[in-house]
Amino acid sequence: MITDRELARYISSNLHLYLADEDKPVECKVVDVSKNNGGTVAGVQILMHGVDHGPVISMETIRGLLDIGMPREEVMKNIAELVHKEENIILLNKFDPEDYQSMKDYLSVMVINTDANKEALENLPHKETEDLSIISYINVPEDAGIGNGIIKVTKGLMNIWNISETELFAEAEKNSSLINPPALFNVKKMIFKNDQRNYLTESIPSPSISLNGLYPEMYVLTNTQKVFGASVIVNTDVMDRICDIFPEGFTIIPSSIHEVMIVPGEDHDRYQELGEMVRSVNMTSAVSPEEVLSDRVYTYDRNSKSIHQVDESMYDKNCEQPEFKQSKSGMAQNNGLVYKEKQVDIEI
């Protein structure tokens, strides 16, 4: 079977055959694309019309399209759609990540695991909270001509913008709720009744007992796009609102970088069990390695306006335990681009 790097070389060598105008200068080259929480995959970078940056298409995504039966020729045509439309190229040239004034309204934040992304965080402005780090990214607008995607803000880009970390995160945190509003869904009602009510904006009944009569209802805390929604846990206005909804307290269970679970009540007797559940889910690949957020549970302190790790949910320090997955090469310094309902990494 053809390897990812061989596939990347094939695309790089043959993409010009699928472009509408072969006279237009387009350069393709094979590159390595880093992934969240470690690992790399081959990719193809497309440089158009003398532009010194362009999308990097991950072979992981291309492989997924081939695996579901899409013919290679159709895949090549779809890739060519990124570059062959003149209107897209014009918009891409106008989209300049180095221009802070045009980028600042698209800034947002995400949370990632600190230990699993140590190497990447050396080059990323970030704020640490417990075992997590908050980073900033540009939420690429659809009219940029390259699809929906993100550009993670590096220290180099922040220096080009000539702004401080304080300014960066103030703008990014302000925009997060505007670009992608937070949402709280009732899990049972969402699954069994297709009830998509956002309980952050609508009244919620008193927390009730679930079907088995033992455990309380569970809620998904994310954002409306369900992308990097775990970042909502650092939005103190939202967390204070959840305190109002659940005055008896609540437990935060990390699901992925995209969402967390909210369990009404603070059941100290179950914290160890919940921590073991989180680690089990992470280790059984129910969540892809690059989307793992943490291996313990949290509570929120309204007085300090901060989340806190629950000691009982962590590993028993007296027992030998497998380490939480560490990154070998750091979190992706690249940017995610949604392409044909798959995740495509791009680098700018």
Side-chain angles (χ1 to χ4, degrees):
M1 184 177 69
I2 186 172
T3 66
D4 284 350
R5 189 158 294 276
E6 289 170 338
L7 180 61
R9 292 196 189 103
Y10 172 85
I11 293 173
S12 180
S13 300
N14 293 279
L15 183 60
H16 69 280
L17 300 175
Y18 296 84
L19 299 177
D21 189 345
E22 296 182 25
D23 294 329
K24 294 176 180 177
V26 176
E27 178 186 356
C28 297
K29 58 183 181 181
V30 179
V31 296
D32 288 322
V33 180
S34 298
K35 298 167 60 178
N36 285 359
N37 294 347
T40 61
V41 64
V44 174
Q45 184 173 30
I46 304 170
L47 304 176
M48 300 166 282
H49 295 275
V51 178
D52 60 2
H53 54 260
V56 175
I57 302 174
S58 165
M59 292 304 100
E60 199 170 61
T61 296
I62 301 305
R63 177 74 65 187
L65 296 176
L66 294 172
D67 287 346
I68 63 174
M70 182 178 289
R72 184 180 296 185
E73 174 135 342
E74 189 65 25
V75 170
M76 295 294 288
K77 289 179 180 178
N78 286 330
I79 296 173
E81 286 295 321
L82 285 174
V83 298
H84 88 276
K85 291 183 179 179
E86 185 65 28
E87 61 269 23
N88 281 356
I89 292 171
I90 292 173
L91 287 168
L92 179 59
N93 288 334
K94 289 181 179 179
F95 181 75
D96 184 6
E98 297 184 0
D99 180 11
Y100 176 67
Q101 292 304 315
S102 63
M103 293 294 101
K104 67 177 185 178
D105 290 340
Y106 300 106
L107 287 171
S108 193
V109 295
M110 72 171 76
V111 293
I112 57 176
N113 186 273
T114 301
D115 283 346
N117 296 285
K118 280 183 177 178
E119 184 176 335
L121 287 169
E122 292 178 1
N123 192 42
L124 297 173
H126 63 280
K127 298 193 301 182
E128 295 186 10
T129 176
E130 296 295 297
D131 64 326
L132 307 176
S133 287
I134 308 165
I135 65 172
S136 176
Y137 67 94
I138 301 170
N139 197 11
V140 179
E142 292 185 14
D143 60 4
I146 56 176
N148 295 324
I150 67 164
I151 300 172
K152 296 183 179 76
V153 177
T154 63
K155 292 180 179 178
L157 185 55
M158 187 181 70
N159 290 335
I160 291 173
W161 289 346
N162 193 28
I163 62 172
S164 66
E165 283 195 17
T166 300
E167 292 174 283
L168 171 66
F169 283 106
E171 192 70 33
E173 290 169 1
K174 179 190 73 174
N175 290 339
S176 289
S177 293
L178 299 176
I179 295 174
N180 203 350
L184 182 69
F185 304 109
N186 181 294
V187 173
K188 185 176 69 176
K189 292 181 179 179
M190 185 169 58
I191 294 175
F192 294 106
K193 298 182 180 180
N194 196 29
D195 186 341
Q196 300 286 335
R197 279 185 298 169
N198 182 354
Y199 287 102
L200 292 176
T201 57
E202 300 184 36
S203 60
I204 184 172
S206 298
S208 57
I209 301 301
S210 64
L211 294 176
N212 61 14
L214 296 176
Y215 302 115
E217 298 275 13
M218 295 182 70
Y219 296 82
V220 178
L221 178 62
T222 181
N223 49 37
T224 52
Q225 295 177 12
K226 300 180 178 66
V227 176
F228 308 129
S231 62
V232 176
I233 63 175
V234 299
N235 184 324
T236 57
D237 290 338
V238 172
M239 299 308 289
D240 285 348
R241 166 67 178 141
I242 297 177
C243 287
D244 293 334
I245 296 174
F246 305 119
E248 299 302 318
F250 55 90
T251 304
I252 304 166
I253 303 176
S255 179
S256 73
I257 60 175
H258 302 299
E259 64 184 27
V260 300
M261 307 300 292
I262 299 294
V263 181
E266 295 182 353
D267 190 346
H268 295 266
D269 293 335
R270 295 193 62 217
Y271 283 150
Q272 183 177 354
E273 174 189 343
L274 292 173
E276 292 172 354
M277 180 189 72
V278 171
R279 288 185 286 277
S280 175
V281 170
N282 290 342
M283 293 175 65
T284 56
S285 299
V287 179
S288 60
E290 60 267 27
E291 295 185 346
V292 169
L293 180 62
S294 184
D295 60 358
R296 72 279 317 263
V297 303
Y298 307 85
T299 57
Y300 176 72
D301 185 341
R302 190 168 195 166
N303 293 325
S304 65
K305 305 286 187 184
S306 59
I307 61 170
H308 296 282
Q309 304 170 81
V310 177
D311 290 341
E312 296 93 325
S313 73
M314 300 182 194
Y315 292 128
D316 184 347
K317 296 181 180 179
N318 296 320
C319 299
E320 184 177 350
Q321 299 282 356
E323 293 184 358
F324 183 59
K325 180 177 174 62
Q326 297 285 318
S327 172
K328 294 180 180 179
S329 59
M331 191 194 64
Q333 307 264 334
N334 310 85
N335 319 297
L337 172 66
V338 177
Y339 178 70
K340 293 294 181 183
E341 297 184 349
K342 292 282 184 176
Q343 183 72 21
V344 177
D345 292 326
I346 66 172
E347 179 178 289
I348 292 183

